[in-house]
Structure formats: structure tokens, C-alpha cells
């Protein structure tokens, strides 16, 4: 990965404590689908600025639903979302700079890597020339500046995912929402992208909400893990992972890591035994 | 640039250094590809030559009268001698076919866009498009001849009606098959309706549209011929179909064959043209236009 100019000097040595000013607050958010499924029930969560939060839970516990509600894709059935620190647009809607990384790369197959990353800026009216610099910067953050003219079909699964991440980064979001972004990747690629993500997060001081099935991945990445249970989807425990950053491969084998994994696993099992599960 | 170009086609995780490494030409597949391309030209050409020889041999060996089956030579002669008549008829047929195709493309794509923007319009219009399509064009042609100012316009309308539907239904299908995740993405980034249409729905519909175009191209020619049969046009402004019938009445079979030959060549030309357009537009990204490499 090439060096990136330190334009965003948001480098945070010590993380901002979660309690001070939450970026977003979920107030008793519930979501019932038209077929009667209660995907989320009374979810309350403060997402502090600069936190790396993982939503961990069994399949169908409403992780994606929660993430989509935060992203503004679908309204909650009851409860509300507060953005205490964000500006509001003309319609009175909060307009935090949010980016979403889907489980699949979700690239436009007819567009090159460059054009895919350009998309969010293009939709804001930025022409190709003016977008050149931010797009190339985002591509080099994920190590793909050499592949700017490649079409998605010419890229491997991991590379496609990195293009998708570059597209999320190009708007310089405050809040990055990731829905099992690495679930389909092999372990080696996943570890590498985990490290890349952590480094970028530290450098730019984003807030991240990261959905995952994997206890190990969530412990490695997160400053905080929110464990959810299903039917109805709800939060059952909220664990702080207070191991210091930067974390690297040595952390993966450390006793502290193992201890956190054991603890988190236990919380997850308790959550699954509490509700029905598959 | 082909999809095989290793400079941007490296389909594996590669560091920049190894990309440059791969940049040397790979002679084996290239040579194979070239000979493959040559064979694709040579084999059909040889086949054609053999068939013409067989035809010529059959006609002379069995002394077939030329008003039943003319020799290839007589057909060629007729093609040259009757060229003034045939070429003007060909021009008429080409003009009608391509005008019908152009109108069908504009109308089909336009209506598809309107229908996918508004459910009401779709409900109001689509059933009638289907009815128009399923009613045999030969049955509507006599009516159209009565209403249209000239026979040529009548033929044009018939060809348009037939070519229009595949474009409409394919494009509609394409516009509706956009990836939902991409739609969500566009919504999240606050894309306007127009932006979503332009950057997402239209490109996503392109392969469907092009499949419709290929069908419509062939159908436009068929309809132009059938409609001319049904309309019974005559005189200076008539197309190849009329010349064909006329040759039959006069038992000028060599000319009938010559007209037929021109019609099939036109069909082949349209097919080649639409296929080339489709390949050019899809070659970089769509599975249908890319050679499998594994
Ligand atoms: N559009 C929908 N209509 C009806 N029910 C839905 C819809 N989307 C999700 N659900 C239901 O809501 C529940 C939560 O779904 P959600 O996708 O949020 O789960 P998840 O935690 O993300 O699961 P996974 O880990 O498998 O992705 C599930 O029971 C699902 O069946
Ligand atoms: Mg999910």
C-alpha cells in the first residue's frame, strides 16, 4: 500500500470516550416487516464518535436491518434515530457522511474500478477531471491504483471488495457501515483486509459499525462488541474490547485476545440459548 | 484491446511488479486464436463453393429447364442484367427495413423507459402492446393499407409494429432487472431519478436491449417482405418482395433467384451489423461477449 498524503489529520492517538458525544443514538428502534416478522425489538444503542463497533449475532437476528436503518434505507417501525452532532439538510433530515459497504462488492460490471469509485462523487456532480485526485487516492488506500482501468470481472473477489471499500472511502465518510464485508473471502485475504481496515480507521478517525458472524474477527477489530439475539432481534450484551491499538498479527495469538474471544463466545452462546435458534 | 490483454486482464491478486512481468505477449494462445478465426472464414466459404458446384452439376447433368431451376450462372447473369430494377427494389426494401428498425428502437426504448417510471402508464399501455404483437401482421396489413396514404407507408407501419415489440419487452425486462443492492446504493448516495436511469438502469438494460435489437433486426426485414406481399404494391416504388412475385408470375425464375439472393444477403447483413454493435458495446464487461478463460 502506498503512502497517502496526510490530508485528513484526524489521526487519533487515544480514542474519544464513547459516552461524550454520540455520533448516532438509536432510541428504542423496532422494525416489523409487513409479513409480521419482528426483525428488531426496542434496540437502544449509543454509537460514540471514533468507535469501532461490531454487531455480532446469529443469522437472522436483525444485524443487517439495524445497519440499514442507520443508513436511512428503510424507516424504523417505532423508535427514532438521533444524530446529535450532524448537520441537517433542507428537508430537516440529518445528513451525516455515511458510507455503506455491502456483503457483496456491488460494483457496476460495465464500469472500470475508477468509474465505480467515482460514482458517489459523480452523483454529486463532480466531473471526471475533478474526481481524478480523490478517486486515485481512495484506490491507492486499498492498494489498487494499478488497476484503475480494470473491469470488475477482471478482478479477484478480494480485489472487488477493496474497490467497494474504496468507493465507500472516497466521500470521506464520518460513519462507515459494513455488512459482513469480508464474509465471502478466504482467511488470508480477510486477515489482510482486516489489517488494512484497522490502519485506515486509525488514520482517519472514522466511526465504524461492522456486522459479522465471526467472534474472532469482531474481537480482532473492535473497540466494542454488541451481541444480539434473534426472534425478536435485540441487544443482549455490550462488551468493551479494551486491548490497545494498533493491533497486529501478534495480537491474534496473544492471551489477551484469547481471553476476549472466550468471553465474547460465552456471551454469544448465552444469547443463542436465550432465544430460539437454528 | 482484447479481454485477453494481460496488462489489465490479470485476474489474480498481483503486485504491480508481477503485472509488468506478465506483460510479455503469449504467442501460443494468440496463434491459436488467429488460426481459429481463419478457419471460421474458410470452412463456410469452402462449403458454399461445394454447394454451388453441386447445384451447377445437377442442373447440367439432368438437363433441368431454367424455368424450373436455373443454373448458378444464369442467376448471376440475371443479377447483372436486371441490376437497375433489382437495385432500386433493394434500396426500397433496405430503406423500409432500417426506417422501421430505427422507429422501433426509438419507440420501444422510449416507451420502456416511460413504462418503468410509472406503474400507471405500464398498466394502461402494455396490454395493448401485447395485443398488437400477437395479432398476425398479415391480418392487420389490409386494414393498414386502407388507412395509410401510400403503400410504402403501410409497409413501413407493418414492419415497425413487428420490430417494435421485441425492443419494448426486452428493454422493459432489462430496466426492471437492475441489481437491488445497486439501487440501494444509488438511493443512499441521493441519486436523482434521472441519474439512476442514466448511470444504472440504462447500462444494466443494455444487454437485454441488444438481444431485442438482434431479434428486431431480423423481424423488420421479414415484416417488410410479408407486408409487401400482403399489400400488393406495384410500380416504381416497390421493393424486393414485389419483384419476387412479379418474377414468379412471368416465370422469370433466374430473376426470382436473384431477388431471393439479395434478400438473404440483406438478412445476413442486418444480422452481422446488429451482432457487431452488440459485441462492441458489451465486449469489455458482459459475459455474453467474453471468451471463457478457464
Ligand atoms: N424485506 C424483508 N421482509 C420480511 N422480512 C425480512 C425482510 N428482511 C429481513 N427480514 C427478516 O428479518 C429478520 C432479520 O433479518 P436481517 O437480514 O436483519 O438478519 P441478519 O442478522 O442480518 O442475518 P444474517 O446474519 O443472516 O445476514 C430475519 O428473520 C428476516 O427473515
Ligand atoms: Mg445480514
Amino acid at each position: 500500500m502506498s503512502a497517502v498524503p496526510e490530508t485528513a489529520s484526524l489521526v487519533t492517538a487515544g480514542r474519544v470516550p464513547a459516552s461524550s458525544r454520540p455520533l448516532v443514538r438509536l432510541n428504542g428502534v423496532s422494525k416489523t416487516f409487513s409479513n409480521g416478522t419482528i426483525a428488531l425489538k426496542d434496540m437502544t444503542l449509543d454509537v460514540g464518535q471514533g468507535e469501532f463497533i461490531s454487531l455480532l449475532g446469529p443469522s437472522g437476528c436483525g444485524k443487517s436491518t439495524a445497519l440499514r436503518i442507520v443508513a436511512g434505507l428503510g424507516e424504523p417501525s417505532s423508535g427514532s434515530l438521533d444524530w446529535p452532532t450532524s448537520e441537517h439538510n433542507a428537508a430537516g433530515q440529518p445528513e451525516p457522511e455515511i458510507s455503506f459497504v455491502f456483503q457483496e462488492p456491488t460494483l457496476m460490471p460495465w464500469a472500470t474500478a475508477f468509474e465505480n469509485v467515482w460514482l458517489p462523487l459523480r452523483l454529486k456532480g463532480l466531473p471526471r477531471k475533478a474526481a481524478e485526485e480523490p478517486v486515485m487516492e481512495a484506490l491507492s488506500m486499498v492498494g489498487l491504483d494499478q488497476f484503475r482501468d480494470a473491469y470488475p470481472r477482471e478482478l479477484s473477489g478480494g480485489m472487488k471488495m477493496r474497490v467497494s471499500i474504496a468507493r465507500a472511502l472516497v466521500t470521506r465518510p464520518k460513519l462507515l457501515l459494513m455488512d459482513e464485508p469480508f464474509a465471502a473471502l478466504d482467511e488470508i485475504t480477510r486477515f489482510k483486509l482486516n489489517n488494512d481496515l484497522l490502519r485506515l480507521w486509525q488514520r482517519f478517525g472514522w466511526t465504524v459499525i461492522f456486522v459479522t458472524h465471526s467472534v474472532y474477527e469482531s474481537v480482532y477489530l473492535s473497540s466494542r462488541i454488541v451481541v444480539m439475539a434473534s426472534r425478536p432481534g435485540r441487544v443482549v450484551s455490550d462488551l468493551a474490547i479494551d486491548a490497545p491499538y494498533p493491533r497486529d498479527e501478534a495480537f491474534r495469538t496473544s492471551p489477551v485476545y484469547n481471553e476476549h474471544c472466550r468471553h465474547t463466545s460465552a456471551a454469544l452462546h448465552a444469547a443463542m440459548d436465550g432465544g430460539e435458534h437454528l | 484491446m482484447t479481454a485477453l490483454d494481460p496488462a489489465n486482464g490479470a485476474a489474480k491478486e498481483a503486485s504491480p511488479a508481477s503485472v509488468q512481468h506478465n506483460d510479455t505477449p503469449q504467442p501460443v494462445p494468440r496463434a491459436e486464436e488467429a488460426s481459429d478465426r481463419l478457419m471460421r472464414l474458410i470452412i463456410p466459404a469452402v462449403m458454399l463453393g461445394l454447394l454451388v458446384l453441386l447445384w451447377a452439376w445437377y442442373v447440367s447433368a439432368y438437363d433441368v429447364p431454367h424455368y424450373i431451376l436455373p443454373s448458378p450462372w444464369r442467376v448471376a447473369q440475371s443479377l447483372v442484367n436486371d441490376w437497375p430494377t433489382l437495385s432500386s427494389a433493394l434500396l426500397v426494401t433496405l430503406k423500409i427495413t432500417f426506417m422501421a428498425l430505427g422507429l422501433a428502437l426509438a419507440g420501444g426504448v422510449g416507451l420502456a423507459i416511460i413504462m418503468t417510471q410509472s406503474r400507471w402508464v405500464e398498466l394502461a399501455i402494455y396490454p395493448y402492446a401485447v395485443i398488437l404483437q400477437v395479432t398476425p401482421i398479415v391480418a392487420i396489413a389490409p386494414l393498414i393499407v386502407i388507412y395509410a396514404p401510400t403503400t410504402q407507408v403501410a409497409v413501413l407501419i407493418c414492419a415497425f409494429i413487428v420490430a417494435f415489440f421485441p425492443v419494448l419487452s426486452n428493454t422493459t425486462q432489462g430496466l426492471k432487472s437492475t441489481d437491488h443492492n445497486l439501487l440501494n446504493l444509488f438511493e443512499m448516495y441521493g441519486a436523482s431519478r434521472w441519474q439512476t436511469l442514466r448511470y444504472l438502469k440504462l447500462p444494466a438494460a443494455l444487454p437485454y436491449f441488444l438481444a431485442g435489437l438482434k431479434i428486431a433486426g431480423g423481424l423488420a426485414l421479414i415484416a417488410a417482405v410479408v407486408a409487401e406481399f400482403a399489400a400488393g404494391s406495384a410500380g416504381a416504388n416497390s421493393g424486393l418482395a414485389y419483384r419476387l412475385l412479379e418474377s414468379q408470375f412471368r416465370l422469370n425464375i433466374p430473376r426470382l433467384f436473384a431477388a431471393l439472393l439479395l434478400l438473404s444477403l440483406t438478412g445476413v447483413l442486418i444480422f452481422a451489423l446488429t451482432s457487431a454493435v452488440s459485441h462492441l458495446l458489451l465486449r469489455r464487461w458482459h459475459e455474453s461477449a467474453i471468451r471463457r478463460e478457464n
Side-chain angles (χ1 to χ4, degrees):
Chain A
M1 286 227 177
S2 54
V4 176
E6 290 289 351
T7 34
S9 52
L10 294 159
V11 184
T12 41
R15 311 301 304 184
V16 181
S19 54
S20 66
R21 273 189 102 193
L23 182 68
V24 56
R25 168 175 290 153
L26 284 81
N27 284 325
V29 168
S30 301
K31 176 81 183 181
T32 309
F33 284 106
S34 49
N35 62 3
T37 310
I38 304 173
L40 271 185
K41 191 162 188 238
D42 202 20
M43 179 167 180
T44 296
L45 184 70
D46 273 6
V47 178
Q49 301 210 26
E51 279 193 301
F52 197 123
I53 296 186
S54 284
L55 297 184
L56 179 68
S59 185
C61 70
K63 306 182 292 292
S64 298
T65 306
L67 212 59
R68 293 164 57 82
I69 287 176
V70 173
L73 295 169
E75 294 288 308
S77 313
S78 64
S80 66
L81 227 63
D82 286 344
W83 300 90
T85 60
S86 299
E87 284 143 30
H88 291 242
N89 66 12
Q93 297 285 335
E95 218 170 41
E97 293 124 57
I98 301 182
S99 281
F100 203 114
V101 179
F102 295 91
Q103 183 164 349
E104 295 86 34
T106 317
L107 302 177
M108 300 179 288
W110 54 84
T112 60
F114 180 94
E115 289 162 341
N116 268 293
V117 176
W118 174 29
L119 178 75
L121 302 177
R122 192 182 199 183
L123 293 175
K124 284 186 190 152
L126 207 65
R128 187 186 277 264
K129 267 255 166 58
E132 180 80 23
E133 201 195 309
V135 170
M136 285 317 289
E137 193 185 317
L139 275 174
S140 58
M141 277 186 216
V142 296
L144 283 181
D145 41 344
Q146 297 283 323
F147 290 89
R148 55 173 293 164
D149 293 323
Y151 285 81
R153 58 164 293 277
E154 299 165 343
L155 300 172
S156 73
M159 290 159 95
K160 276 187 255 207
M161 209 60 232
R162 271 146 63 187
V163 174
S164 179
I165 293 172
R167 178 180 59 199
L169 303 187
V170 77
T171 53
R172 303 200 163 257
K174 280 201 187 110
L175 176 60
L176 189 58
L177 305 174
M178 305 180 96
D179 193 353
E180 300 186 43
F182 309 139
L185 303 178
D186 64 277
E187 203 169 48
I188 298 170
T189 313
R190 192 160 74 229
F191 283 180
K192 177 167 169 8
L193 290 181
N194 281 167
N195 289 329
D196 292 347
L197 177 63
L198 271 189
R199 211 178 42 250
L200 292 169
W201 168 70
Q202 279 203 287
R203 173 191 241 146
F204 294 107
W206 302 317
T207 307
V208 180
I209 306 181
F210 188 96
V211 167
T212 178
H213 276 130
S214 161
V215 170
Y216 306 101
E217 189 176 42
S218 64
V219 172
Y220 186 70
L221 294 172
S222 321
S223 57
R224 184 176 158 205
I225 299 177
V226 172
V227 181
M228 295 176 67
S230 53
R231 269 157 250 177
R234 62 199 185 277
V235 175
V236 286
S237 46
D238 195 333
L239 312 166
I241 307 296
D242 45 17
Y245 293 94
R247 297 175 185 171
D248 54 18
E249 292 303 326
F251 176 58
R252 270 193 213 283
T253 50
S254 68
V256 185
Y257 177 72
N258 280 325
E259 187 48 44
H260 279 301
C261 286
R262 200 165 27 245
H263 197 90
T264 308
S265 260
L268 185 61
H269 277 113
M272 289 170 69
D273 291 339
E276 298 171 55
H277 59 91
L278 303 173
Chain B
M1 268 292 143
T2 69
L4 286 171
D5 192 338
N8 48 33
K12 43 184 172 325
E13 294 262 1
S15 71
S18 72
V19 170
Q20 267 136 34
H21 230 81
N22 278 344
D23 220 357
T24 47
Q26 291 161 330
V28 180
R30 286 285 152 89
E32 241 171 40
E33 199 187 343
S35 78
D36 182 61
R37 211 172 274 169
L38 210 61
M39 288 312 266
R40 265 196 265 174
L41 286 178
I42 288 175
I43 292 177
V46 168
M47 190 69 196
L48 181 71
L50 283 178
L51 279 176
V52 171
L53 279 180
L54 184 72
W55 172 11
W57 168 80
Y58 175 79
V59 169
S60 73
Y62 290 82
D63 242 347
V64 185
H66 65 78
Y67 51 84
I68 293 187
L69 179 64
S71 69
W73 174 242
R74 265 179 191 277
V75 173
Q77 250 179 341
S78 158
L79 199 58
V80 173
N81 293 338
D82 296 336
W83 183 248
T85 329
L86 286 177
S87 65
S88 75
L90 173 65
L91 216 64
V92 170
T93 300
L94 278 180
K95 218 171 74 183
I96 289 182
T97 304
F98 279 97
M99 269 170 71
L101 190 57
L103 289 175
L105 292 188
V109 171
L111 197 59
I113 290 175
I114 295 171
M115 284 199 328
T116 46
Q117 296 294 310
S118 153
R119 180 108 186 97
W120 288 100
V121 178
E122 185 182 358
L123 286 174
I125 290 180
Y126 198 70
Y128 298 98
V130 173
I131 289 171
L132 208 57
Q133 159 71 13
V134 297
T135 313
I137 194 67
V138 199
I140 323 175
L143 256 188
I144 296 178
V145 171
I146 295 175
Y147 298 141
T150 67
T151 319
Q152 268 199 314
V153 174
V155 174
L156 177 65
I157 292 174
C158 290
F160 163 76
I161 290 175
V162 171
F164 168 76
F165 192 76
V167 177
L168 174 72
S169 72
N170 273 38
T171 311
T172 309
Q173 178 74 17
L175 288 171
K176 284 181 174 175
S177 330
T178 318
D179 180 353
H180 285 191
N181 277 329
L182 276 171
L183 280 172
N184 280 338
L185 190 83
F186 271 67
E187 187 192 328
M188 245 186 54
Y189 286 123
S192 66
R193 238 169 200 240
W194 163 243
Q195 284 176 322
T196 310
L197 182 68
R198 167 137 187 245
Y199 298 134
L200 179 57
K201 290 190 174 175
L202 285 179
L206 190 63
Y208 294 82
F209 162 76
L210 289 170
L213 170 69
K214 276 196 211 171
I215 301 169
L219 284 182
L221 179 63
I222 294 174
V225 169
V226 170
E228 207 182 358
F229 281 167
S233 78
N237 283 334
S238 49
L240 276 174
Y242 172 73
R243 292 297 166 205
L244 219 141
L245 281 184
E246 183 198 47
S247 307
Q248 190 209 9
F249 290 145
R250 298 185 181 171
L251 274 185
N252 189 348
I253 306 303
R255 192 158 92 173
L256 194 155
F257 267 85
L260 196 57
L261 186 69
L262 285 180
L263 271 179
S264 346
L265 284 179
T266 309
V268 170
L269 173 85
I270 292 174
F271 180 79
L273 221 62
T274 50
S275 300
V277 167
S278 167
H279 182 78
L280 275 181
L281 290 175
L282 300 182
R283 76 204 153 112
R284 287 313 298 274
W285 65 274
H286 198 256
E287 305 294 345
S288 68
I290 286 163
R291 284 174 44 134
R292 212 166 60 158
E293 281 186 73
N294 47 14

CSV table of all heavy atoms in Angstrom, one decimal, chain B residues 190-208:
chain,number,residue,atom,x,y,z
B,190,GLY,N,-28.1,9.5,-2.7
B,190,GLY,CA,-29.0,10.6,-3.1
B,190,GLY,C,-29.1,10.8,-4.6
B,190,GLY,O,-29.3,11.9,-5.0
B,191,ALA,N,-29.1,9.7,-5.4
B,191,ALA,CA,-29.1,9.9,-6.8
B,191,ALA,C,-30.5,10.3,-7.2
B,191,ALA,O,-31.5,9.8,-6.6
B,191,ALA,CB,-28.8,8.6,-7.5
B,192,SER,N,-30.7,11.2,-8.2
B,192,SER,CA,-32.0,11.6,-8.7
B,192,SER,C,-32.5,10.5,-9.6
B,192,SER,O,-31.7,9.6,-10.0
B,192,SER,CB,-31.9,12.9,-9.5
B,192,SER,OG,-31.1,12.7,-10.7
B,193,ARG,N,-33.8,10.6,-10.0
B,193,ARG,CA,-34.4,9.6,-10.9
B,193,ARG,C,-33.6,9.5,-12.2
B,193,ARG,O,-33.3,8.5,-12.7
B,193,ARG,CB,-35.8,10.1,-11.2
B,193,ARG,CG,-36.8,9.1,-10.9
B,193,ARG,CD,-38.2,9.8,-11.0
B,193,ARG,NE,-39.1,9.1,-10.3
B,193,ARG,CZ,-40.2,8.5,-10.9
B,193,ARG,NH1,-40.5,8.7,-12.1
B,193,ARG,NH2,-41.0,7.8,-10.1
B,194,TRP,N,-33.3,10.7,-12.7
B,194,TRP,CA,-32.6,10.8,-14.0
B,194,TRP,C,-31.2,10.1,-13.8
B,194,TRP,O,-30.7,9.4,-14.7
B,194,TRP,CB,-32.5,12.2,-14.4
B,194,TRP,CG,-31.5,12.5,-15.4
B,194,TRP,CD1,-30.4,13.3,-15.3
B,194,TRP,CD2,-31.4,12.0,-16.8
B,194,TRP,NE1,-29.7,13.3,-16.5
B,194,TRP,CE2,-30.3,12.6,-17.4
B,194,TRP,CE3,-32.3,11.2,-17.5
B,194,TRP,CZ2,-30.0,12.3,-18.7
B,194,TRP,CZ3,-31.9,10.9,-18.8
B,194,TRP,CH2,-30.8,11.4,-19.4
B,195,GLN,N,-30.5,10.4,-12.7
B,195,GLN,CA,-29.1,9.8,-12.6
B,195,GLN,C,-29.2,8.3,-12.5
B,195,GLN,O,-28.4,7.6,-13.0
B,195,GLN,CB,-28.5,10.4,-11.3
B,195,GLN,CG,-27.9,11.8,-11.5
B,195,GLN,CD,-27.4,12.3,-10.2
B,195,GLN,OE1,-27.9,12.1,-9.1
B,195,GLN,NE2,-26.3,13.1,-10.3
B,196,THR,N,-30.2,7.8,-11.7
B,196,THR,CA,-30.4,6.4,-11.6
B,196,THR,C,-30.6,5.8,-12.9
B,196,THR,O,-30.1,4.7,-13.2
B,196,THR,CB,-31.5,6.1,-10.6
B,196,THR,OG1,-31.3,6.8,-9.4
B,196,THR,CG2,-31.6,4.6,-10.3
B,197,LEU,N,-31.5,6.4,-13.7
B,197,LEU,CA,-31.8,5.9,-15.1
B,197,LEU,C,-30.5,5.9,-15.9
B,197,LEU,O,-30.1,4.9,-16.5
B,197,LEU,CB,-32.8,6.8,-15.7
B,197,LEU,CG,-33.3,6.4,-17.1
B,197,LEU,CD1,-34.0,5.0,-17.0
B,197,LEU,CD2,-34.2,7.4,-17.7
B,198,ARG,N,-29.8,7.0,-15.9
B,198,ARG,CA,-28.7,7.2,-16.8
B,198,ARG,C,-27.5,6.3,-16.4
B,198,ARG,O,-26.9,5.7,-17.3
B,198,ARG,CB,-28.3,8.6,-16.8
B,198,ARG,CG,-27.0,8.9,-17.5
B,198,ARG,CD,-27.0,10.1,-18.4
B,198,ARG,NE,-25.7,10.2,-19.0
B,198,ARG,CZ,-24.9,11.1,-18.8
B,198,ARG,NH1,-25.1,12.1,-18.0
B,198,ARG,NH2,-23.7,11.1,-19.5
B,199,TYR,N,-27.1,6.3,-15.2
B,199,TYR,CA,-25.9,5.6,-14.7
B,199,TYR,C,-26.1,4.2,-14.3
B,199,TYR,O,-25.2,3.4,-14.2
B,199,TYR,CB,-25.2,6.4,-13.6
B,199,TYR,CG,-24.8,7.8,-13.9
B,199,TYR,CD1,-25.1,8.8,-13.1
B,199,TYR,CD2,-24.1,8.0,-15.1
B,199,TYR,CE1,-24.7,10.1,-13.4
B,199,TYR,CE2,-23.8,9.3,-15.5
B,199,TYR,CZ,-24.0,10.3,-14.6
B,199,TYR,OH,-23.7,11.6,-14.9
B,200,LEU,N,-27.4,3.8,-14.0
B,200,LEU,CA,-27.6,2.5,-13.5
B,200,LEU,C,-28.5,1.7,-14.4
B,200,LEU,O,-28.2,0.6,-14.9
B,200,LEU,CB,-28.1,2.5,-12.1
B,200,LEU,CG,-28.4,1.2,-11.4
B,200,LEU,CD1,-27.2,0.3,-11.4
B,200,LEU,CD2,-28.9,1.4,-10.0
B,201,LYS,N,-29.8,2.2,-14.6
B,201,LYS,CA,-30.8,1.3,-15.2
B,201,LYS,C,-30.5,1.1,-16.7
B,201,LYS,O,-30.6,0.0,-17.2
B,201,LYS,CB,-32.2,1.9,-15.0
B,201,LYS,CG,-32.6,1.8,-13.6
B,201,LYS,CD,-34.1,2.2,-13.5
B,201,LYS,CE,-34.5,1.9,-12.1
B,201,LYS,NZ,-35.9,2.4,-11.9
B,202,LEU,N,-30.1,2.2,-17.4
B,202,LEU,CA,-29.9,2.0,-18.8
B,202,LEU,C,-28.7,1.1,-19.1
B,202,LEU,O,-28.8,0.2,-19.9
B,202,LEU,CB,-29.7,3.4,-19.5
B,202,LEU,CG,-31.0,4.2,-19.7
B,202,LEU,CD1,-30.8,5.5,-20.4
B,202,LEU,CD2,-32.0,3.4,-20.5
B,203,PRO,N,-27.5,1.3,-18.5
B,203,PRO,CA,-26.4,0.4,-18.7
B,203,PRO,C,-26.8,-1.1,-18.3
B,203,PRO,O,-26.4,-2.0,-19.0
B,203,PRO,CB,-25.3,0.9,-17.8
B,203,PRO,CG,-25.6,2.3,-17.5
B,203,PRO,CD,-27.1,2.4,-17.6
B,204,ALA,N,-27.6,-1.2,-17.2
B,204,ALA,CA,-27.9,-2.6,-16.8
B,204,ALA,C,-28.9,-3.2,-17.9
B,204,ALA,O,-28.9,-4.4,-18.0
B,204,ALA,CB,-28.6,-2.6,-15.5
B,205,ALA,N,-29.7,-2.4,-18.5
B,205,ALA,CA,-30.6,-2.9,-19.5
B,205,ALA,C,-30.0,-3.2,-20.9
B,205,ALA,O,-30.6,-3.8,-21.7
B,205,ALA,CB,-31.8,-1.9,-19.7
B,206,LEU,N,-28.8,-2.7,-21.1
B,206,LEU,CA,-28.1,-2.7,-22.4
B,206,LEU,C,-28.1,-4.1,-23.0
B,206,LEU,O,-28.5,-4.3,-24.1
B,206,LEU,CB,-26.7,-2.1,-22.3
B,206,LEU,CG,-26.1,-1.9,-23.7
B,206,LEU,CD1,-26.8,-0.9,-24.5
B,206,LEU,CD2,-24.6,-1.4,-23.5
B,207,PRO,N,-27.6,-5.1,-22.2
B,207,PRO,CA,-27.6,-6.5,-22.8
B,207,PRO,C,-28.9,-7.0,-23.3
B,207,PRO,O,-29.1,-7.6,-24.3
B,207,PRO,CB,-27.0,-7.4,-21.7
B,207,PRO,CG,-26.4,-6.5,-20.8
B,207,PRO,CD,-27.1,-5.1,-20.9
B,208,TYR,N,-30.0,-6.7,-22.5
B,208,TYR,CA,-31.3,-7.1,-22.8
B,208,TYR,C,-31.8,-6.4,-24.1
B,208,TYR,O,-32.3,-6.9,-25.0
B,208,TYR,CB,-32.3,-6.7,-21.7
B,208,TYR,CG,-32.1,-7.5,-20.4
B,208,TYR,CD1,-31.1,-7.1,-19.5
B,208,TYR,CD2,-32.9,-8.6,-20.1
B,208,TYR,CE1,-30.9,-7.8,-18.4
B,208,TYR,CE2,-32.7,-9.3,-19.0
B,208,TYR,CZ,-31.7,-8.9,-18.1
B,208,TYR,OH,-31.5,-9.6,-16.9
